[in-house]
Amino acid sequence: MSGETSHQEHIGPYRLLSRLGGGAGTAHRAAGPDGRDVAIRLLPPGAVPDIARMRSVLSPYVVDVLGGEPGGTRPYVVSRFVPGRPLAEHVAAHGPMGGAALGRMALGLAKALAALHQAGLTHGDLGPGTVLVVDDAPVVVDFALTGRAGTPGDVPADVRAWAVTLLFAATGRPDETAVSSSGELPVGPAPELPAGLIAALPEGLRPLVAAAARPDASARPSAADLAEAVARLDLPPSPARPPATAHTAHTAHTAYTAPASPPAPAAPAPEPPAPSGAQGSAARAHELAVAQGWARLLAAMVVVVGVGVAVMMPIVGLLASLAAVTLLRAGAASTVRGRAWALGRTLLTVPYAAAFTVAVPLGLVAAAAVGGEIDPLAACAFGAGAGAAVLWSAPGVTGPRRQLERMALAVARRPGGIAAAGVLLGALALFAVVGAMSLTPSFAPMYGLQSSLEATLDRLQNALNGT
């Protein structure tokens, strides 16, 4: 149950608006410094959520984590505010799900877990209280908050929780052996789910739920396998349901309380077409996937421009890339401590980039000794481009690129924005590539360094050629 919070109270840069119930720690609805509506989950002292990994999860079925403060005496996680109601309340109001609606729930939950597991996280507390229903589609929230979340052994536990949550959606009956809202797992092998409950599922889902709930955790399928199997099912449309009762917006930070008695299923009726809300949800999921693809392309164009500038103007380009990636990391942080860590992460990347900046020219000169000749300045320029590429995006360096994608996603959601940004960045990227391949590199303002590098590599090349 929610209540008002003093408008003067803040957590970091966020102004608290109202309190939200249940879950791991206390939750608040809050306003960010930019006015954005967010949800803040306060965690017990000593909790250390992996904010970076949580932010890397991009799925229409998982709430977007925006930031937070790991560790310390007051750790918290900030996520997008989701105007939905928990699955428990949805089932209590509308009755159990069936047919295509249940199939959408099964597919969305499986894809959500697959996205978490791919990011190296587990949910740890999946259930009717941590699944929101928005336009008849699930949005998973409050993930990776428990102490055990993220360990390999929790992946099978998540898969079993998928089966139990799906059974609840289909029957309205909670299962006492599931992962509880307090985060406690049953001790020892998990018991088998009641055959009577599994029989209530559509025929195609029964073997999948039974496999996901096997007592032997190692025999359970992966979430990705479940998603692929559910996507192949052709489930019939759901029976008609009574009109929904009016309700206010909720977030997943509402505690789950099982209904006193199982709600009665809706009376059978002629099969109508799929609800417009479900169609809207599917359309939005498709639009998000398309927007994410455009965002990745726009971010890649920015990286190409940065690398091209570094090849044309090595000193200026490298300094500009260094400043840009530092600002991107700092912009992704929500606290002063996080911004300081952003600067530290960039400084840790500098030796990595410097190694490539030096190794590429030496490698090009050595290769030229075998057959051909390379201009020393061009070799140094390509080395600067390699160093810039490392600063932007290299194995182990993903922060700047992901922040670019998040920024580009706001533009990519609008067709007009995609067209304008695509034309502008495309032209800049083309100029950067053509200029990098054809223009003489300028080491301004360090012309003395330019002369020294040219002379050094020229002598090295002559020595390797035996002249």
Side-chain angles (χ1 to χ4, degrees):
M1 187 172 182
S2 64
E4 292 302 315
T5 302
S6 169
H7 284 213
Q8 302 302 314
E9 188 175 354
H10 285 71
I11 296 178
Y14 301 95
R15 179 167 57 89
L16 304 186
L17 302 177
S18 61
R19 184 167 177 170
L20 306 166
T26 306
H28 295 267
R29 185 173 180 173
D34 56 356
R36 179 164 45 178
D37 218 5
V38 300
I40 295 182
R41 171 69 69 184
L42 297 178
L43 302 177
V48 187
D50 193 337
I51 302 294
R53 282 181 187 255
M54 295 168 77
R55 292 190 61 181
S56 71
V57 179
L58 298 176
S59 168
Y61 303 106
V62 181
V63 68
D64 296 329
V65 170
L66 307 176
E69 180 61 44
T73 58
R74 204 183 193 191
Y76 63 88
V77 174
V78 182
S79 63
R80 177 172 58 89
F81 183 84
V82 180
R85 71 192 317 185
L87 177 62
E89 294 184 11
H90 182 85
V91 171
H94 297 286
M97 295 181 172
L102 187 63
R104 286 189 294 273
M105 178 63 61
L107 180 61
L109 292 181
K111 285 189 173 183
L113 289 180
L116 293 177
H117 297 169
Q118 184 178 10
L121 297 171
T122 56
H123 190 290
D125 198 18
L126 184 70
T130 55
V131 176
L132 289 182
V133 181
V134 182
D135 291 337
D136 286 344
V139 177
V140 171
V141 297
D142 285 351
F143 59 90
L145 299 181
T146 62
R148 66 180 186 281
T151 60
D154 293 318
V155 171
D158 273 355
V159 171
R160 189 180 193 280
W162 172 86
V164 173
T165 304
L166 204 59
L167 278 178
F168 174 85
T171 65
R173 292 176 56 185
D175 184 88
E176 299 301 328
T177 65
V179 179
S180 68
S181 60
S182 64
E184 295 297 327
L185 285 171
V187 178
E192 294 186 6
L193 296 178
L197 289 183
I198 295 180
L201 295 169
E203 185 176 358
L205 282 175
R206 292 174 198 166
L208 300 180
V209 169
R214 286 170 180 153
D216 181 3
S218 64
R220 297 170 193 166
S222 68
D225 289 340
L226 288 174
E228 184 178 346
V230 174
R232 291 197 298 263
L233 297 179
D234 184 17
L235 299 177
S238 308
R241 298 185 309 198
T245 56
H247 65 279
T248 56
H250 292 265
T251 68
H253 311 280
T254 302
Y256 162 60
T257 303
S261 59
E271 294 179 351
S276 59
Q279 294 172 348
S281 177
R284 278 189 291 276
H286 174 71
E287 289 172 2
L288 178 59
V290 172
Q292 287 174 342
W294 277 108
R296 294 188 190 98
L297 178 60
L298 295 177
M301 289 181 181
V302 173
V303 174
V304 169
V305 172
V307 173
V309 171
V311 174
M312 291 184 288
M313 304 179 67
I315 304 301
V316 174
L318 281 173
L319 291 177
S321 288
L322 191 63
V325 299
T326 302
L327 289 175
L328 284 171
R329 285 194 173 101
S334 58
T335 64
V336 174
R337 180 180 175 183
R339 295 185 185 101
W341 176 235
L343 176 60
R345 287 291 299 272
T346 300
L347 292 177
L348 289 175
T349 311
V350 169
Y352 187 9
F356 277 81
T357 303
V358 174
V360 167
L362 294 178
L364 290 173
V365 169
V370 177
E373 187 174 346
I374 187 169
D375 179 61
L377 283 184
C380 292
F382 285 126
V390 170
L391 291 174
W392 281 103
S393 180
V397 183
T398 58
R401 187 190 73 246
R402 285 177 178 164
Q403 181 63 3
L404 273 179
E405 290 177 2
R406 294 187 188 98
M407 295 170 63
L409 189 59
V411 176
R413 289 179 183 273
R414 304 189 303 272
I418 294 174
V423 170
L424 176 61
L425 288 175
L428 290 175
L430 179 62
F431 170 76
V433 172
V434 172
M437 300 303 296
S438 60
L439 298 178
T440 301
S442 170
F443 284 73
M446 302 180 69
Y447 295 106
L449 177 63
Q450 174 178 332
S451 300
S452 299
L453 290 173
E454 186 175 18
T456 300
L457 287 183
D458 194 44
R459 286 195 297 270
L460 177 61
Q461 189 166 220
N462 290 335
L464 291 174
N465 289 332
T467 60

